[in-house]
PDB file of all heavy atoms in Angstrom:
ATOM      1  N   LYS A 115     -11.176 -24.821 -80.044  1.00  0.00           N
ATOM      2  CA  LYS A 115     -10.135 -25.217 -80.995  1.00  0.00           C
ATOM      3  C   LYS A 115     -10.722 -26.009 -82.166  1.00  0.00           C
ATOM      4  O   LYS A 115     -10.147 -26.068 -83.225  1.00  0.00           O
ATOM      5  CB  LYS A 115      -9.075 -26.047 -80.278  1.00  0.00           C
ATOM      6  CG  LYS A 115      -8.306 -25.265 -79.241  1.00  0.00           C
ATOM      7  CD  LYS A 115      -7.158 -26.050 -78.696  1.00  0.00           C
ATOM      8  CE  LYS A 115      -6.442 -25.377 -77.574  1.00  0.00           C
ATOM      9  NZ  LYS A 115      -5.983 -24.055 -77.765  1.00  0.00           N
ATOM     10  N   LEU A 116     -11.910 -26.603 -81.979  1.00  0.00           N
ATOM     11  CA  LEU A 116     -12.487 -27.453 -83.017  1.00  0.00           C
ATOM     12  C   LEU A 116     -13.245 -26.677 -84.103  1.00  0.00           C
ATOM     13  O   LEU A 116     -13.316 -27.117 -85.233  1.00  0.00           O
ATOM     14  CB  LEU A 116     -13.430 -28.489 -82.401  1.00  0.00           C
ATOM     15  CG  LEU A 116     -12.759 -29.557 -81.523  1.00  0.00           C
ATOM     16  CD1 LEU A 116     -13.813 -30.456 -80.912  1.00  0.00           C
ATOM     17  CD2 LEU A 116     -11.769 -30.350 -82.335  1.00  0.00           C
ATOM     18  N   LEU A 117     -13.840 -25.546 -83.768  1.00  0.00           N
ATOM     19  CA  LEU A 117     -14.657 -24.815 -84.732  1.00  0.00           C
ATOM     20  C   LEU A 117     -13.847 -24.315 -85.935  1.00  0.00           C
ATOM     21  O   LEU A 117     -14.384 -24.180 -87.025  1.00  0.00           O
ATOM     22  CB  LEU A 117     -15.362 -23.638 -84.076  1.00  0.00           C
ATOM     23  CG  LEU A 117     -16.516 -24.005 -83.166  1.00  0.00           C
ATOM     24  CD1 LEU A 117     -17.058 -22.759 -82.455  1.00  0.00           C
ATOM     25  CD2 LEU A 117     -17.636 -24.674 -83.942  1.00  0.00           C
ATOM     26  N   SER A 118     -12.562 -24.054 -85.744  1.00  0.00           N
ATOM     27  CA  SER A 118     -11.733 -23.536 -86.839  1.00  0.00           C
ATOM     28  C   SER A 118     -11.116 -24.666 -87.680  1.00  0.00           C
ATOM     29  O   SER A 118     -10.477 -24.381 -88.685  1.00  0.00           O
ATOM     30  CB  SER A 118     -10.631 -22.642 -86.285  1.00  0.00           C
ATOM     31  OG  SER A 118      -9.792 -23.382 -85.414  1.00  0.00           O
ATOM     32  N   LYS A 119     -11.325 -25.899 -87.310  1.00  0.00           N
ATOM     33  CA  LYS A 119     -10.795 -27.047 -88.055  1.00  0.00           C
ATOM     34  C   LYS A 119     -11.650 -27.343 -89.283  1.00  0.00           C
ATOM     35  O   LYS A 119     -12.822 -27.039 -89.314  1.00  0.00           O
ATOM     36  CB  LYS A 119     -10.726 -28.297 -87.177  1.00  0.00           C
ATOM     37  CG  LYS A 119      -9.937 -28.162 -85.904  1.00  0.00           C
ATOM     38  CD  LYS A 119      -8.473 -28.082 -86.200  1.00  0.00           C
ATOM     39  CE  LYS A 119      -7.705 -28.011 -84.875  1.00  0.00           C
ATOM     40  NZ  LYS A 119      -6.399 -27.474 -85.025  1.00  0.00           N
ATOM     41  N   GLU A 120     -11.043 -27.984 -90.265  1.00  0.00           N
ATOM     42  CA  GLU A 120     -11.784 -28.373 -91.458  1.00  0.00           C
ATOM     43  C   GLU A 120     -12.578 -29.645 -91.172  1.00  0.00           C
ATOM     44  O   GLU A 120     -12.056 -30.579 -90.574  1.00  0.00           O
ATOM     45  CB  GLU A 120     -10.831 -28.609 -92.631  1.00  0.00           C
ATOM     46  CG  GLU A 120     -11.573 -28.941 -93.919  1.00  0.00           C
ATOM     47  CD  GLU A 120     -10.629 -29.073 -95.100  1.00  0.00           C
ATOM     48  OE1 GLU A 120      -9.840 -30.012 -95.105  1.00  0.00           O
ATOM     49  OE2 GLU A 120     -10.700 -28.209 -95.976  1.00  0.00           O
ATOM     50  N   TYR A 121     -13.824 -29.666 -91.590  1.00  0.00           N
ATOM     51  CA  TYR A 121     -14.713 -30.814 -91.412  1.00  0.00           C
ATOM     52  C   TYR A 121     -15.085 -31.382 -92.770  1.00  0.00           C
ATOM     53  O   TYR A 121     -15.166 -30.655 -93.754  1.00  0.00           O
ATOM     54  CB  TYR A 121     -16.012 -30.408 -90.692  1.00  0.00           C
ATOM     55  CG  TYR A 121     -15.863 -30.237 -89.210  1.00  0.00           C
ATOM     56  CD1 TYR A 121     -15.510 -29.012 -88.668  1.00  0.00           C
ATOM     57  CD2 TYR A 121     -16.093 -31.297 -88.333  1.00  0.00           C
ATOM     58  CE1 TYR A 121     -15.392 -28.847 -87.291  1.00  0.00           C
ATOM     59  CE2 TYR A 121     -15.983 -31.143 -86.974  1.00  0.00           C
ATOM     60  CZ  TYR A 121     -15.619 -29.912 -86.463  1.00  0.00           C
ATOM     61  OH  TYR A 121     -15.492 -29.757 -85.107  1.00  0.00           O
ATOM     62  N   THR A 122     -15.372 -32.666 -92.780  1.00  0.00           N
ATOM     63  CA  THR A 122     -15.962 -33.313 -93.947  1.00  0.00           C
ATOM     64  C   THR A 122     -17.426 -33.569 -93.611  1.00  0.00           C
ATOM     65  O   THR A 122     -17.744 -34.114 -92.567  1.00  0.00           O
ATOM     66  CB  THR A 122     -15.253 -34.636 -94.272  1.00  0.00           C
ATOM     67  OG1 THR A 122     -13.890 -34.352 -94.534  1.00  0.00           O
ATOM     68  CG2 THR A 122     -15.874 -35.310 -95.469  1.00  0.00           C
ATOM     69  N   PHE A 123     -18.305 -33.147 -94.503  1.00  0.00           N
ATOM     70  CA  PHE A 123     -19.754 -33.362 -94.328  1.00  0.00           C
ATOM     71  C   PHE A 123     -20.212 -34.402 -95.332  1.00  0.00           C
ATOM     72  O   PHE A 123     -19.843 -34.352 -96.501  1.00  0.00           O
ATOM     73  CB  PHE A 123     -20.527 -32.058 -94.580  1.00  0.00           C
ATOM     74  CG  PHE A 123     -20.427 -31.058 -93.470  1.00  0.00           C
ATOM     75  CD1 PHE A 123     -19.359 -30.169 -93.406  1.00  0.00           C
ATOM     76  CD2 PHE A 123     -21.390 -31.003 -92.505  1.00  0.00           C
ATOM     77  CE1 PHE A 123     -19.266 -29.263 -92.389  1.00  0.00           C
ATOM     78  CE2 PHE A 123     -21.320 -30.086 -91.462  1.00  0.00           C
ATOM     79  CZ  PHE A 123     -20.259 -29.213 -91.415  1.00  0.00           C
ATOM     80  N   GLU A 124     -21.025 -35.338 -94.833  1.00  0.00           N
ATOM     81  CA  GLU A 124     -21.638 -36.361 -95.690  1.00  0.00           C
ATOM     82  C   GLU A 124     -23.127 -36.333 -95.414  1.00  0.00           C
ATOM     83  O   GLU A 124     -23.555 -36.623 -94.294  1.00  0.00           O
ATOM     84  CB  GLU A 124     -21.061 -37.745 -95.385  1.00  0.00           C
ATOM     85  CG  GLU A 124     -19.570 -37.848 -95.595  1.00  0.00           C
ATOM     86  CD  GLU A 124     -18.996 -39.158 -95.063  1.00  0.00           C
ATOM     87  OE1 GLU A 124     -19.774 -40.028 -94.608  1.00  0.00           O
ATOM     88  OE2 GLU A 124     -17.763 -39.278 -95.076  1.00  0.00           O
ATOM     89  N   PHE A 125     -23.918 -35.976 -96.402  1.00  0.00           N
ATOM     90  CA  PHE A 125     -25.367 -35.907 -96.265  1.00  0.00           C
ATOM     91  C   PHE A 125     -26.002 -37.156 -96.879  1.00  0.00           C
ATOM     92  O   PHE A 125     -25.787 -37.441 -98.062  1.00  0.00           O
ATOM     93  CB  PHE A 125     -25.927 -34.644 -96.922  1.00  0.00           C
ATOM     94  CG  PHE A 125     -25.708 -33.411 -96.102  1.00  0.00           C
ATOM     95  CD1 PHE A 125     -24.486 -32.739 -96.154  1.00  0.00           C
ATOM     96  CD2 PHE A 125     -26.704 -32.933 -95.273  1.00  0.00           C
ATOM     97  CE1 PHE A 125     -24.288 -31.612 -95.384  1.00  0.00           C
ATOM     98  CE2 PHE A 125     -26.493 -31.805 -94.505  1.00  0.00           C
ATOM     99  CZ  PHE A 125     -25.277 -31.142 -94.571  1.00  0.00           C
TER     100      PHE A 125
END
Side-chain angles (χ1 to χ4, degrees):
K115 295 187 186 308
L116 293 177
L117 287 174
S118 61
K119 304 288 183 201
E120 184 175 67
Y121 282 89
T122 300
F123 286 85
E124 300 170 6
F125 283 82

